[in-house]
Tab-separated table of all heavy atoms in Angstrom:
chain	number	residue	atom	x	y	z
A	400	ALA	N	-4.921	-19.519	-10.444
A	400	ALA	CA	-3.612	-19.982	-9.985
A	400	ALA	C	-3.717	-21.358	-9.342
A	400	ALA	O	-2.895	-22.242	-9.585
A	400	ALA	CB	-3.025	-18.978	-8.993
A	401	ARG	N	-4.771	-21.574	-8.556
A	401	ARG	CA	-4.950	-22.877	-7.900
A	401	ARG	C	-5.195	-23.965	-8.924
A	401	ARG	O	-4.729	-25.096	-8.774
A	401	ARG	CB	-6.137	-22.807	-6.929
A	401	ARG	CG	-5.749	-22.247	-5.586
A	401	ARG	CD	-6.993	-22.082	-4.741
A	401	ARG	NE	-6.668	-21.857	-3.344
A	401	ARG	CZ	-7.489	-21.253	-2.483
A	401	ARG	NH1	-8.675	-20.820	-2.885
A	401	ARG	NH2	-7.133	-21.082	-1.238
A	402	THR	N	-5.956	-23.634	-9.968
A	402	THR	CA	-6.235	-24.614	-11.017
A	402	THR	C	-4.933	-25.045	-11.697
A	402	THR	O	-4.669	-26.235	-11.875
A	402	THR	CB	-7.206	-24.010	-12.054
A	402	THR	OG1	-8.390	-23.613	-11.362
A	402	THR	CG2	-7.557	-25.007	-13.138
A	403	ILE	N	-4.105	-24.068	-12.030
A	403	ILE	CA	-2.829	-24.385	-12.680
A	403	ILE	C	-1.956	-25.191	-11.716
A	403	ILE	O	-1.303	-26.159	-12.099
A	403	ILE	CB	-2.118	-23.080	-13.115
A	403	ILE	CG1	-2.970	-22.351	-14.167
A	403	ILE	CG2	-0.719	-23.361	-13.651
A	403	ILE	CD1	-2.523	-20.925	-14.434
A	404	ASP	N	-1.995	-24.807	-10.467
A	404	ASP	CA	-1.199	-25.493	-9.440
A	404	ASP	C	-1.588	-26.969	-9.348
A	404	ASP	O	-0.738	-27.851	-9.291
A	404	ASP	CB	-1.440	-24.786	-8.093
A	404	ASP	CG	-0.439	-25.197	-7.026
A	404	ASP	OD1	0.755	-25.341	-7.368
A	404	ASP	OD2	-0.842	-25.360	-5.864
A	405	MET	N	-2.897	-27.215	-9.344
A	405	MET	CA	-3.387	-28.584	-9.133
A	405	MET	C	-3.151	-29.477	-10.345
A	405	MET	O	-3.383	-30.677	-10.295
A	405	MET	CB	-4.877	-28.562	-8.765
A	405	MET	CG	-5.158	-27.963	-7.391
A	405	MET	SD	-3.980	-28.446	-6.107
A	405	MET	CE	-4.549	-30.107	-5.785
A	406	MET	N	-2.718	-28.893	-11.450
A	406	MET	CA	-2.363	-29.714	-12.612
A	406	MET	C	-0.947	-30.264	-12.467
A	406	MET	O	-0.413	-30.870	-13.400
A	406	MET	CB	-2.476	-28.877	-13.891
A	406	MET	CG	-3.907	-28.541	-14.251
A	406	MET	SD	-3.965	-27.297	-15.554
A	406	MET	CE	-5.733	-27.252	-15.870
A	407	GLY	N	-0.337	-30.065	-11.303
A	407	GLY	CA	0.997	-30.602	-11.068
A	407	GLY	C	2.116	-29.706	-11.573
A	407	GLY	O	3.217	-30.164	-11.864
A	408	THR	N	1.830	-28.437	-11.642
A	408	THR	CA	2.823	-27.481	-12.149
A	408	THR	C	3.932	-27.254	-11.124
A	408	THR	O	3.655	-27.122	-9.936
A	408	THR	CB	2.123	-26.137	-12.447
A	408	THR	OG1	1.006	-26.400	-13.300
A	408	THR	CG2	3.061	-25.146	-13.113
A	409	ASP	N	5.168	-27.246	-11.586
A	409	ASP	CA	6.288	-26.963	-10.682
A	409	ASP	C	6.526	-25.466	-10.533
A	409	ASP	O	6.773	-24.979	-9.438
A	409	ASP	CB	7.577	-27.604	-11.217
A	409	ASP	CG	7.564	-29.109	-11.019
A	409	ASP	OD1	7.467	-29.543	-9.861
A	409	ASP	OD2	7.638	-29.840	-12.031
A	410	ILE	N	6.500	-24.781	-11.638
A	410	ILE	CA	6.812	-23.347	-11.595
A	410	ILE	C	5.774	-22.568	-12.393
A	410	ILE	O	5.478	-22.915	-13.541
A	410	ILE	CB	8.222	-23.062	-12.183
A	410	ILE	CG1	9.289	-23.798	-11.365
A	410	ILE	CG2	8.509	-21.561	-12.211
A	410	ILE	CD1	10.685	-23.675	-11.937
A	411	ILE	N	5.226	-21.560	-11.759
A	411	ILE	CA	4.332	-20.650	-12.477
A	411	ILE	C	5.095	-19.351	-12.725
A	411	ILE	O	5.550	-18.703	-11.770
A	411	ILE	CB	3.041	-20.379	-11.679
A	411	ILE	CG1	2.233	-21.674	-11.526
A	411	ILE	CG2	2.201	-19.292	-12.346
A	411	ILE	CD1	0.988	-21.541	-10.669
A	412	ILE	N	5.275	-19.028	-13.979
A	412	ILE	CA	5.930	-17.769	-14.336
A	412	ILE	C	4.814	-16.787	-14.646
A	412	ILE	O	4.003	-17.016	-15.535
A	412	ILE	CB	6.841	-17.948	-15.567
A	412	ILE	CG1	7.907	-19.002	-15.266
A	412	ILE	CG2	7.473	-16.616	-15.964
A	412	ILE	CD1	8.638	-19.502	-16.497
A	413	MET	N	4.763	-15.732	-13.891
A	413	MET	CA	3.569	-14.899	-13.952
A	413	MET	C	3.884	-13.446	-14.266
A	413	MET	O	4.705	-12.805	-13.610
A	413	MET	CB	2.886	-14.972	-12.590
A	413	MET	CG	1.667	-14.125	-12.494
A	413	MET	SD	0.881	-14.545	-10.935
A	413	MET	CE	-0.156	-13.140	-10.770
A	414	ARG	N	3.224	-12.949	-15.284
A	414	ARG	CA	3.248	-11.503	-15.554
A	414	ARG	C	1.827	-11.009	-15.343
A	414	ARG	O	0.875	-11.591	-15.871
A	414	ARG	CB	3.699	-11.214	-16.979
A	414	ARG	CG	3.626	-9.726	-17.307
A	414	ARG	CD	4.386	-9.381	-18.560
A	414	ARG	NE	5.821	-9.554	-18.356
A	414	ARG	CZ	6.736	-9.287	-19.286
A	414	ARG	NH1	6.365	-8.846	-20.468
A	414	ARG	NH2	8.018	-9.458	-19.030
A	415	HIS	N	1.692	-9.957	-14.559
A	415	HIS	CA	0.340	-9.504	-14.193
A	415	HIS	C	0.350	-7.989	-14.100
A	415	HIS	O	1.348	-7.391	-13.705
A	415	HIS	CB	-0.048	-10.126	-12.839
A	415	HIS	CG	-1.529	-10.087	-12.563
A	415	HIS	ND1	-2.140	-8.961	-12.065
A	415	HIS	CD2	-2.496	-11.019	-12.718
A	415	HIS	CE1	-3.442	-9.212	-11.933
A	415	HIS	NE2	-3.679	-10.446	-12.320
A	416	ASN	N	-0.777	-7.403	-14.455
A	416	ASN	CA	-0.805	-5.929	-14.448
A	416	ASN	C	-1.031	-5.338	-13.058
A	416	ASN	O	-1.044	-4.120	-12.896
A	416	ASN	CB	-1.862	-5.414	-15.442
A	416	ASN	CG	-3.272	-5.821	-15.063
A	416	ASN	OD1	-3.492	-6.456	-14.028
A	416	ASN	ND2	-4.239	-5.457	-15.876
A	417	GLN	N	-1.208	-6.187	-12.035
A	417	GLN	CA	-1.400	-5.670	-10.676
A	417	GLN	C	-0.136	-5.878	-9.849
A	417	GLN	O	0.334	-7.007	-9.706
A	417	GLN	CB	-2.555	-6.405	-9.990
A	417	GLN	CG	-3.921	-6.165	-10.615
A	417	GLN	CD	-4.411	-4.753	-10.416
A	417	GLN	OE1	-3.966	-4.049	-9.521
A	417	GLN	NE2	-5.317	-4.326	-11.265
A	418	SER	N	0.366	-4.808	-9.271
A	418	SER	CA	1.509	-4.923	-8.365
A	418	SER	C	1.136	-5.855	-7.212
A	418	SER	O	0.049	-5.744	-6.654
A	418	SER	CB	1.880	-3.548	-7.795
A	418	SER	OG	2.232	-2.669	-8.842
A	419	GLY	N	2.052	-6.753	-6.879
A	419	GLY	CA	1.811	-7.635	-5.731
A	419	GLY	C	1.017	-8.885	-6.069
A	419	GLY	O	0.785	-9.709	-5.190
A	420	ALA	N	0.592	-9.062	-7.312
A	420	ALA	CA	-0.212	-10.245	-7.659
A	420	ALA	C	0.553	-11.543	-7.389
A	420	ALA	O	-0.015	-12.477	-6.805
A	420	ALA	CB	-0.683	-10.163	-9.116
A	421	PRO	N	1.840	-11.670	-7.769
A	421	PRO	CA	2.551	-12.916	-7.444
A	421	PRO	C	2.733	-13.112	-5.941
A	421	PRO	O	2.636	-14.239	-5.449
A	421	PRO	CB	3.899	-12.778	-8.133
A	421	PRO	CG	3.947	-11.449	-8.771
A	421	PRO	CD	2.657	-10.739	-8.560
A	422	HIS	N	2.970	-12.008	-5.223
A	422	HIS	CA	3.110	-12.095	-3.759
A	422	HIS	C	1.811	-12.607	-3.157
A	422	HIS	O	1.802	-13.338	-2.184
A	422	HIS	CB	3.424	-10.720	-3.158
A	422	HIS	CG	4.535	-9.981	-3.835
A	422	HIS	ND1	4.456	-9.562	-5.138
A	422	HIS	CD2	5.752	-9.593	-3.388
A	422	HIS	CE1	5.573	-8.938	-5.463
A	422	HIS	NE2	6.382	-8.949	-4.425
A	423	PHE	N	0.701	-12.186	-3.738
A	423	PHE	CA	-0.616	-12.575	-3.244
A	423	PHE	C	-0.865	-14.068	-3.431
A	423	PHE	O	-1.300	-14.750	-2.502
A	423	PHE	CB	-1.694	-11.730	-3.935
A	423	PHE	CG	-3.068	-12.329	-3.936
A	423	PHE	CD1	-3.698	-12.681	-2.739
A	423	PHE	CD2	-3.746	-12.550	-5.127
A	423	PHE	CE1	-4.965	-13.241	-2.739
A	423	PHE	CE2	-5.008	-13.106	-5.137
A	423	PHE	CZ	-5.616	-13.459	-3.940
A	424	ILE	N	-0.568	-14.613	-4.623
A	424	ILE	CA	-0.939	-16.021	-4.861
A	424	ILE	C	0.064	-17.019	-4.291
A	424	ILE	O	-0.315	-18.128	-3.910
A	424	ILE	CB	-1.180	-16.336	-6.358
A	424	ILE	CG1	0.075	-16.070	-7.195
A	424	ILE	CG2	-2.397	-15.606	-6.876
A	424	ILE	CD1	0.044	-16.792	-8.529
A	425	ALA	N	1.338	-16.639	-4.228
A	425	ALA	CA	2.386	-17.616	-3.884
A	425	ALA	C	2.096	-18.422	-2.612
A	425	ALA	O	2.271	-19.642	-2.614
A	425	ALA	CB	3.738	-16.912	-3.794
A	426	PRO	N	1.633	-17.769	-1.519
A	426	PRO	CA	1.421	-18.550	-0.290
A	426	PRO	C	0.339	-19.621	-0.417
A	426	PRO	O	0.289	-20.533	0.384
A	426	PRO	CB	0.993	-17.493	0.740
A	426	PRO	CG	1.390	-16.197	0.161
A	426	PRO	CD	1.364	-16.350	-1.315
A	427	TYR	N	-0.517	-19.520	-1.433
A	427	TYR	CA	-1.615	-20.477	-1.567
A	427	TYR	C	-1.227	-21.691	-2.416
A	427	TYR	O	-2.029	-22.598	-2.588
A	427	TYR	CB	-2.827	-19.799	-2.239
A	427	TYR	CG	-3.465	-18.710	-1.389
A	427	TYR	CD1	-3.115	-17.377	-1.549
A	427	TYR	CD2	-4.430	-19.031	-0.435
A	427	TYR	CE1	-3.698	-16.382	-0.780
A	427	TYR	CE2	-5.024	-18.042	0.331
A	427	TYR	CZ	-4.655	-16.718	0.153
A	427	TYR	OH	-5.242	-15.739	0.915
A	428	LEU	N	-0.024	-21.701	-3.006
A	428	LEU	CA	0.312	-22.706	-4.025
A	428	LEU	C	1.460	-23.613	-3.618
A	428	LEU	O	2.328	-23.236	-2.838
A	428	LEU	CB	0.693	-21.984	-5.333
A	428	LEU	CG	-0.272	-20.921	-5.850
A	428	LEU	CD1	0.277	-20.317	-7.131
A	428	LEU	CD2	-1.667	-21.493	-6.080
A	429	LYS	N	1.447	-24.820	-4.192
A	429	LYS	CA	2.597	-25.711	-4.046
A	429	LYS	C	3.675	-25.312	-5.052
A	429	LYS	O	4.867	-25.474	-4.801
A	429	LYS	CB	2.165	-27.154	-4.336
A	429	LYS	CG	1.317	-27.798	-3.249
A	429	LYS	CD	1.382	-29.324	-3.428
A	429	LYS	CE	0.161	-30.012	-2.849
A	429	LYS	NZ	-1.057	-29.859	-3.664
A	430	ALA	N	3.269	-24.848	-6.198
A	430	ALA	CA	4.221	-24.455	-7.239
A	430	ALA	C	5.041	-23.250	-6.779
A	430	ALA	O	4.610	-22.469	-5.935
A	430	ALA	CB	3.463	-24.103	-8.520
A	431	SER	N	6.253	-23.128	-7.343
A	431	SER	CA	7.026	-21.904	-7.140
A	431	SER	C	6.493	-20.853	-8.100
A	431	SER	O	6.024	-21.176	-9.187
A	431	SER	CB	8.502	-22.152	-7.442
A	431	SER	OG	9.005	-23.148	-6.582
A	432	VAL	N	6.560	-19.605	-7.674
A	432	VAL	CA	6.081	-18.524	-8.527
A	432	VAL	C	7.260	-17.633	-8.902
A	432	VAL	O	8.014	-17.187	-8.031
A	432	VAL	CB	4.998	-17.685	-7.808
A	432	VAL	CG1	4.546	-16.529	-8.691
A	432	VAL	CG2	3.813	-18.560	-7.425
A	433	VAL	N	7.448	-17.435	-10.196
A	433	VAL	CA	8.478	-16.506	-10.667
A	433	VAL	C	7.773	-15.236	-11.117
A	433	VAL	O	6.844	-15.281	-11.931
A	433	VAL	CB	9.288	-17.099	-11.842
A	433	VAL	CG1	10.245	-16.053	-12.419
A	433	VAL	CG2	10.070	-18.327	-11.381
A	434	ASN	N	8.202	-14.132	-10.555
A	434	ASN	CA	7.612	-12.852	-10.933
A	434	ASN	C	8.216	-12.385	-12.253
A	434	ASN	O	9.379	-12.009	-12.316
A	434	ASN	CB	7.879	-11.820	-9.822
A	434	ASN	CG	7.198	-10.495	-10.103
A	434	ASN	OD1	6.511	-10.348	-11.129
A	434	ASN	ND2	7.381	-9.533	-9.208
A	435	ALA	N	7.419	-12.412	-13.290
A	435	ALA	CA	7.892	-11.970	-14.608
A	435	ALA	C	7.397	-10.560	-14.909
A	435	ALA	O	7.245	-10.160	-16.060
A	435	ALA	CB	7.416	-12.941	-15.673
A	436	GLY	N	7.163	-9.798	-13.848
A	436	GLY	CA	6.676	-8.428	-14.009
A	436	GLY	C	5.310	-8.282	-13.400
A	436	GLY	O	4.359	-8.900	-13.873
A	437	ASP	N	5.212	-7.486	-12.308
A	437	ASP	CA	3.907	-7.268	-11.676
A	437	ASP	C	3.608	-5.775	-11.612
A	437	ASP	O	4.196	-5.038	-10.838
A	437	ASP	CB	3.840	-7.916	-10.288
A	437	ASP	CG	4.830	-7.346	-9.272
A	437	ASP	OD1	5.991	-7.083	-9.667
A	437	ASP	OD2	4.449	-7.159	-8.105
A	438	GLY	N	2.696	-5.368	-12.437
A	438	GLY	CA	2.255	-3.969	-12.435
A	438	GLY	C	3.424	-3.013	-12.526
A	438	GLY	O	4.296	-3.150	-13.385
A	439	MET	N	3.439	-2.043	-11.612
A	439	MET	CA	4.525	-1.059	-11.583
A	439	MET	C	5.568	-1.451	-10.543
A	439	MET	O	6.461	-0.689	-10.243
A	439	MET	CB	3.986	0.327	-11.227
A	439	MET	CG	2.708	0.709	-11.946
A	439	MET	SD	2.224	2.433	-11.698
A	439	MET	CE	2.303	2.622	-9.934
A	440	ASN	N	5.405	-2.628	-9.971
A	440	ASN	CA	6.270	-2.978	-8.846
A	440	ASN	C	7.652	-3.445	-9.265
A	440	ASN	O	8.628	-2.718	-9.103
A	440	ASN	CB	5.592	-4.038	-7.981
A	440	ASN	CG	6.436	-4.467	-6.804
A	440	ASN	OD1	7.042	-3.617	-6.160
A	440	ASN	ND2	6.500	-5.745	-6.539
A	441	GLU	N	7.760	-4.654	-9.799
A	441	GLU	CA	9.090	-5.192	-10.073
A	441	GLU	C	9.124	-6.026	-11.337
A	441	GLU	O	8.099	-6.563	-11.787
A	441	GLU	CB	9.550	-6.063	-8.893
A	441	GLU	CG	10.066	-5.245	-7.731
A	441	GLU	CD	11.242	-5.928	-7.062
A	441	GLU	OE1	12.230	-6.232	-7.758
A	441	GLU	OE2	11.139	-6.179	-5.848
A	442	HIS	N	10.318	-6.135	-11.901
A	442	HIS	CA	10.593	-7.016	-13.023
A	442	HIS	C	11.966	-7.622	-12.742
A	442	HIS	O	12.964	-7.221	-13.334
A	442	HIS	CB	10.585	-6.204	-14.326
A	442	HIS	CG	10.486	-7.050	-15.548
A	442	HIS	ND1	10.746	-8.410	-15.534
A	442	HIS	CD2	10.164	-6.734	-16.829
A	442	HIS	CE1	10.574	-8.881	-16.769
A	442	HIS	NE2	10.222	-7.897	-17.567
Side-chain angles (χ1 to χ4, degrees):
Chain A
R401 276 174 166 157
T402 302
I403 297 167
D404 193 40
M405 291 319 284
M406 290 169 174
T408 307
D409 286 300
I410 299 175
I411 296 176
I412 301 166
M413 178 171 162
R414 176 165 292 182
H415 198 278
N416 64 2
Q417 294 291 339
S418 299
H422 311 64
F423 158 57
I424 60 160
Y427 293 95
L428 309 179
K429 287 200 205 75
S431 300
V432 178
V433 174
N434 184 1
D437 63 319
M439 316 188 310
N440 179 42
E441 281 217 56
H442 196 343

